[in-house]
Amino acid sequence: MSTVAENLAAVRKRIAEAELKYQRRPGEVQLIAVSKTKPAEALLEARDAGQRLFGENYLQEALDKQVIINRDDIEWHFIGPIQSNKTRQIAESFAWVHGVDREKIARRLSEQRPAELSPLNICLQVNVSNEESKSGVSLDDLPALLANVIVLPGLRVRGLMAIPQRAENVDQQRAAFATLAEALQMLNQQYQIQMDTLSMGMSGDLEAAIAEGATMVRVGTDIFGAR
Ligand SMILES: *Cc1c(COP(=O)(O)O)cnc(C)c1O
C-alpha cells in the first residue's frame, strides 16, 4: 500500500500535468487535502509532506483535529453542509467555507466571524447539475444570492464551488465545470467584482476541472485512501 506522502506526490503530479496540458499557469491550482473521517495522524503525514490546505466536512471531527494539529501554517477549509446552529464555531475556526448556499447561513457566518480575524473567505455552492436532492443554489437563484451576500462585512466572497453529478466521460465532466466557470465570469462582469476562485474537481475528475479553470481542487480518496 502506498503512503500518504506518495499519494500526495502523485496527485501533485497530476495537477502539474493538467496545468501544462490545459495551458494553466504552473502552480495556479491549489490542492485542498480532504481529510474527513481520517485520523489526525494521516493529516500530520500530509503536513510533513508539505500539504498546508485541509478540507473537513464534519465540524466536531474537524475541531478535534485542530486541537491536535495546532499550527499557524495550516489553512482549514470547511467543505461540508452547514447547519445554522454550527455557524458560530465554523466562523471562528476556519479560513474558508465552500458550501454556502443560503442567505441565512451567510448572514450568520458574517455576524459571527470574530472581529479580530480577517473576513471569512467563502464560495457559493452551485447545483450545476440541477439535482433535486443536492445542496447548492440553482443557477437561476445565484445572482440574487450573490447580491445579498456580497455586502456582508464579515465575509469575502471568493468564488463558486460545485460537486457535479457523476459523469460518464470527460466531456460530460467538463461541461458541468464549464457551466460554473461561465457563471463566475458572468457574475464578475455583472457586479463589477473580481471573484477569483473556482472550487471544483475531486479525485475522479480533477483534470476536467483544471481544463475548465479550477483554482482549487478538493481531493480526498486519492490522497488518504478509500473512506
Ligand atoms: C469528500 C469530498 C471531496 C473529496 O472527494 P474524493 O472523491 O474523495 O476526492 C471533495 N469535496 C467535497 C465537498 C467532499 O465532501
Side-chain angles (χ1 to χ4, degrees):
M1 231 178 66
S2 49
T3 65
V4 167
E6 287 165 353
N7 291 343
L8 204 45
V11 169
R12 287 193 187 123
K13 184 155 175 278
R14 281 171 64 192
I15 292 172
E17 285 172 357
E19 284 172 341
L20 196 67
K21 178 169 179 186
Y22 298 109
Q23 284 116 46
R24 304 288 310 277
R25 208 154 26 79
E28 184 182 9
V29 179
Q30 287 192 290
L31 171 61
I32 300 174
V34 175
S35 41
K36 60 173 175 248
T37 78
K38 299 297 176 182
E41 291 72 35
L43 282 77
L44 288 169
E45 229 183 302
R47 192 205 66 193
D48 288 346
Q51 183 61 31
R52 292 295 175 263
L53 278 51
F54 289 89
E56 289 280 343
N57 294 56
Y58 310 109
L59 178 61
Q60 192 53 54
E61 180 192 328
L63 295 177
D64 291 344
K65 288 175 189 169
Q66 289 181 356
V67 171
I68 300 171
I69 309 168
N70 180 15
R71 296 255 312 218
D72 287 344
D73 60 355
I74 300 251
E75 189 173 270
W76 295 96
H77 293 243
F78 192 82
I79 63 171
I82 308 157
Q83 295 164 274
S84 52
N85 63 346
K86 304 277 172 67
T87 50
R88 181 175 300 279
Q89 280 176 299
I90 292 172
E92 288 171 354
S93 308
F94 289 82
W96 283 73
V97 178
H98 290 242
V100 178
D101 63 0
R102 281 182 292 155
E103 185 187 345
K104 178 187 168 191
I105 295 291
R107 277 191 189 285
R108 291 176 64 96
L109 289 171
S110 175
E111 282 162 14
Q112 294 167 344
R113 180 67 168 173
E116 68 272 19
L117 298 180
S118 51
L120 183 63
N121 296 293
I122 67 153
C123 292
L124 298 178
Q125 184 175 352
V126 183
N127 184 353
V128 280
S129 313
N130 254 318
E131 290 167 89
E132 293 267 335
S133 60
K134 265 273 185 68
S135 43
V137 64
S138 69
L139 282 166
D140 287 345
D141 295 337
L142 175 60
L145 177 65
L146 176 65
N148 290 328
V149 167
I150 206 153
V151 294
L152 300 174
L155 305 183
R156 189 165 162 219
V157 186
R158 297 294 297 271
L160 306 178
M161 178 271 215
I163 312 171
Q165 209 166 23
R166 210 173 275 286
E168 311 253 308
N169 56 51
V170 174
D171 287 344
Q172 274 181 26
Q173 289 173 353
R174 284 187 63 163
F177 293 134
T179 301
L180 197 71
E182 282 158 23
L184 185 88
Q185 231 183 8
M186 203 197 69
L187 293 167
N188 273 343
Q189 264 177 18
Q190 186 178 343
Y191 291 95
Q192 290 296 305
I193 53 177
Q194 274 144 18
M195 293 189 289
D196 58 5
T197 302
L198 282 168
S199 169
M200 58 189 197
M202 317 200 300
S203 294
D205 56 13
L206 69 88
E207 284 85 1
I210 291 171
E212 298 298 340
T215 63
M216 286 180 165
V217 292
R218 310 176 310 269
V219 179
T221 307
D222 283 0
I223 297 173
F224 296 110
R227 291 180 293 271

